[in-house]
Amino acid sequence: MGSDLEQMQRDMLGRIAAAADPAALEAERVAALGKQGAVTGLLKSLGAMSPEERQSEGPRIHALREAVTAAIASRKAALDGAALERRLATEQLDMTLPVAPPLQGSVHPISQVMDELAEIFADLGFSVATGPEIEDDWHNFGALEIPETHPARAMHDTFYMDRTDAEGRPMVLRTHTSPVQIRTMQAQKPPIYIIAPGRTYRSDNDATHTPMFHQVEGLVIDRGITLGHLKWTLETFLKAYFERDDVVLRLRPSYFPFTEPSVEVDVGYTLQNGRRVLGGADHWMELLGSGMVHPRVLANCGLDPDEWQGFAFGCGIDRLAMLKYGMDDLRAFYDGDLRWLRHYGFRALDVPTLSGGVGA
Ligand code: DAH
């Protein structure tokens, strides 16, 4: 029986490795592991064996099943990989080709708003920083004083990956742009004046939440920075962004693990014919989170909190775009509907400039 099993395993593994497509591989799987499969048959035969026989044959048959299962999984991964490669090769686009008129493309409102933010903050002396969208636990949470047991973790609806970091914890799709704060403080010496716009991910989906969304993070680290600097910066930014001088902010005490004190910033609006119009202080709408960078966060990045202070803020870009350009369903941003894009998109050469309109 022993050498029969070995022969059987060699044959099966040979056929699995030779399976040319998913259908052929599935046929091999059914032939071996299906209800009537050969390996399944052997497993069933264990019941009729004497205890001694079972003790010697059992492990061999189980080993056969494991070898076949592993071979199928690895062949499947290879076939899937090859199929993806083929698809990528056929779907290749030559981005250097000249655009054929009539010009179809438009700049997505999100890209437009990111350009506007970069323009406004460049004028205030900020540069644009970036970080990876697949983050390790420490940058996304730990360094921001959100340890594993912290209740704020639950609010993040995190997407965890199979890959793990150096400490064996799963990598995550970043749930906010705040890890870019950490990376920037690690990589450069203060003074630091940056914004970090980019994609963020949470497992959430309705008219105002999509699993992928955009945030902009702001970070200032310098000597003698106060909450007053934060308020002035946000006011200047929002007046420039909404192109109105009557934008009124309200700072409410709040809580974030990585700032102390923390404030939530509301912006005032009025209702005109049922539509929200920014400006005035009839109604308030929550716009962003911010605060003074927590001394422990500074220390986590190797900065001495007695020497350096700073403020940070985080704001949803999709929200900013909806408010300024009047869309009401976030999901439409990502449908790729040409009619929507034609309506809300921007001309490719319509680069925002402070003098040309994005500025106050
Ligand atoms: N990271 C927070 C979030 O996604 C937003 C935020 C709040 C960012 C306060 C900050 C901050 O930098 O200071 O909910």
Side-chain angles (χ1 to χ4, degrees), residues 140 144 146 155-156 175-179 181 200 202 213 215-219 230 255-264 288-293 311-316:
N140 195 77
L144 292 155
I146 318 176
M155 288 162 20
H156 278 230
T175 56
H176 51 178
T177 42
S178 300
Q181 284 187 31
T200 46
R202 289 186 202 180
F213 57 105
Q215 284 190 341
V216 60
E217 192 81 8
L219 176 72
L230 167 64
Y255 172 77
F256 298 104
F258 36 90
T259 45
E260 181 57 39
S262 302
V263 287
E264 224 143 351
L288 56 90
S290 63
M292 303 303 292
V293 180
F311 66 76
F313 61 87
C315 181

Side-chain angles (χ1 to χ4, degrees), residues 14-77:
R15 283 199 305 273
I16 288 167
D21 53 48
L25 183 60
E26 176 61 11
E28 293 303 332
R29 189 193 66 78
V30 171
L33 305 171
K35 265 206 183 104
Q36 315 290 333
V39 178
T40 312
L42 285 170
L43 284 165
K44 280 186 197 151
S45 72
L46 282 172
M49 288 180 190
S50 68
E52 297 75 37
E53 231 183 337
R54 196 177 309 138
Q55 203 167 33
S56 76
E57 287 310 305
R60 305 173 58 105
I61 296 176
H62 282 291
L64 168 66
R65 186 188 51 184
E66 261 160 48
V68 169
T69 307
I72 291 174
S74 103
R75 184 66 190 146
K76 180 169 181 337

